[in-house]
Amino acid sequence: METEIVLVDSSVNKEETYSQAVEILRNGDIVAFPTETVYGLGADATNPQAVEKIFTAKGRPSDNPLIVHVDSKESALNWVQNVPAKAIQCMDAFWPGALTIILESKPGAFAENVTANLKTVGIRVPNHRVALDLLARVNVPIAAPSANTSGKPSPTLAEHVYHDMAGIIPLILDGGQTTIGLESTVLDMTSEPPVILRPGKITKEDLELVIGTVRLSSEIQGNAPKSPGMKYIHYAPDVPVYLIENDEALVGKAIQHVQKEGKKVAVLSTADFPVADYHFPLSAETLYDSLRKCDQTDADLILATVSTAPNRSDAMMNRLEKAADHKWFS
Ligand code: TXA
Ligand code: MG
């Protein structure tokens, strides 16, 4: 299969591009599209064969449910039931935006493989012109996980999607770099108080201003992860990642140590480390691009510089800990 990347902006043949994308989706195939968080791999959430193609394209385990995207709160409410008042408050406050809300889905609403046979669904309205235009035109809910190969860093550029999905999907809508760069906050509103299953740009504090007490799943001791995706390896480049305290002297020593063994080291940090073989910027917006760039070097090891007091509610720290499989350099 040939994979086409089409730039979608206000100028060239926008309508033609959307019609092409809508036709592909209606025919049960996949279209990758930008959101404000990361690029998504979209398919008709009511069509099990179409959804199956997403799992195959990503190599994703079938017990990890997909997030469903719709164009508005009103559309969302057609597909879910027993919606608590706090969920409506969140929709009003944060949609369109980077908040996925877990709610009870209406029986038979979605293809069973979207929700991995759960009675609940993760649903959100993305805050991105291209995504919203596409969703409004296709007029069915679109299941869309991040558009990376399962386990790899999520895509923040159309090129990242192309790297992972060339020859596998027919169309990538290119909307440039995604602005947030990390996946949406996932909030389970089927429990009381609601629980953050995945931290994101919208924080516990942001949510608490609107709906009062919210818990972090990482704080609930001895609880099996309720978000099935949390148990899998995530965001990991091929080169092994180690966390290290953001201390110039310590990082300098670590670099020397690795280089003495004849190995090359890539450093991810806010400050420049001229002695490193490679250096890439570290911020929410650049994290995944930097991890992918490390894989294009001959580095043997990645040092990601972080503060030693890991903040469990911090989205970037959450992704880095997973990319490093919680390994600290010593
Ligand atoms: O920002 C985002 O959310 C991006 C863009 C494309 O919208 N999408 C995304 O999807 O990150 P994905 O599939 O890579 O992550 C979905 C996460 C997984 O951790 C999954 O386990 C969880 O949401 N999830 C989905 N449905 C769920 C449900 N019914 N109950 C609990 N967790 C659920
Ligand atoms: Mg993902």
Side-chain angles (χ1 to χ4, degrees):
M1 177 184 306
E2 218 176 291
T3 302
E4 199 179 342
I5 302 192
V6 187
L7 245 182
V8 202
D9 60 18
S10 45
S11 58
V12 281
N13 301 335
K14 200 169 83 166
E15 283 313 315
E16 206 176 294
T17 304
Y18 282 126
S19 313
Q20 187 192 355
V22 166
E23 196 181 307
I24 292 173
L25 290 169
R26 293 227 173 104
N27 285 332
D29 228 315
I30 296 177
V31 173
F33 62 94
T35 78
E36 79 280 37
T37 58
V38 299
Y39 276 76
L41 210 53
D44 178 351
T46 65
N47 177 340
Q49 287 85 31
V51 172
E52 187 53 37
K53 289 182 187 170
I54 294 179
F55 284 94
T56 307
K58 281 183 67 83
R60 180 170 174 121
S62 60
D63 64 351
N64 190 2
L66 309 177
I67 291 174
V68 171
H69 298 68
V70 289
D71 69 341
S72 65
K73 167 184 151 190
E74 290 68 34
S75 301
L77 293 175
N78 288 327
W79 302 94
V80 290
Q81 63 183 19
N82 297 328
V83 180
K86 284 181 184 177
I88 304 285
Q89 289 176 293
C90 283
M91 293 173 187
D92 288 334
F94 300 106
W95 281 1
L99 179 69
T100 295
I101 305 179
I102 309 289
L103 292 164
E104 217 179 286
S105 65
K106 283 189 182 162
F110 303 107
E112 284 184 348
N113 45 0
V114 169
T115 57
N117 285 314
L118 297 171
K119 290 195 166 59
T120 56
V121 64
I123 195 161
R124 83 177 186 103
V125 178
N127 187 17
H128 192 290
R129 198 64 261 159
V130 174
L132 289 172
D133 282 350
L134 180 66
L135 289 166
R137 283 170 172 78
V138 71
N139 206 24
V140 289
I142 296 294
S146 51
N148 50 287
T149 303
S150 200
K152 294 294 150 202
S154 299
T156 56
L157 290 165
E159 292 91 294
H160 296 161
V161 183
Y162 190 81
H163 178 272
D164 287 12
M165 296 295 153
I168 300 176
I169 64 168
L171 181 64
I172 302 168
L173 300 181
D174 184 350
Q177 189 185 342
T178 64
T179 51
I180 294 179
L182 298 178
E183 302 81 353
S184 61
T185 306
V186 176
L187 182 66
D188 182 0
M189 300 202 84
T190 64
S191 53
E192 181 49 44
V195 179
I196 294 177
L197 301 179
R198 180 175 72 183
K201 168 117 177 154
I202 295 172
T203 63
K204 182 177 189 298
E205 292 70 30
D206 295 336
L207 292 163
E208 287 186 333
L209 283 178
V210 178
I211 53 165
T213 305
V214 167
R215 304 193 70 189
L216 285 171
S217 66
S218 56
E219 288 168 355
I220 303 171
Q221 296 284 311
N223 218 10
K226 206 178 169 192
S227 180
M230 301 309 256
K231 64 179 187 273
Y232 295 107
I233 290 181
H234 263 99
Y235 322 118
D238 295 330
V239 184
V241 181
Y242 291 84
L243 306 174
I244 187 166
E245 190 187 342
N246 192 4
D247 171 299
E248 209 172 310
L250 189 74
V251 178
K253 259 168 70 183
I255 293 170
Q256 266 188 345
H257 179 83
V258 175
Q259 288 173 336
K260 258 198 209 130
E261 290 178 348
K263 291 182 180 162
K264 289 196 174 161
V265 53
V267 171
L268 299 191
S269 65
T270 43
D272 195 13
F273 273 97
V275 285
D277 298 285
Y278 305 97
H279 172 260
F280 299 105
L282 184 59
S283 66
E285 296 79 11
T286 58
L287 172 65
Y288 292 140
D289 186 52
S290 290
L291 288 172
R292 283 175 176 265
K293 280 187 174 137
C294 288
D295 269 345
Q296 277 156 24
T297 69
D298 59 352
D300 299 289
L301 180 152
I302 300 167
L303 291 177
T305 66
V306 294
S307 122
T308 31
N311 176 356
R312 292 162 124 181
S313 69
D314 181 69
M316 190 170 72
M317 191 61 205
N318 168 276
R319 307 310 192 270
L320 267 175
E321 282 184 327
K322 293 205 165 137
D325 198 16
H326 302 270
K327 297 187 303 291
W328 285 79
F329 186 84
S330 61

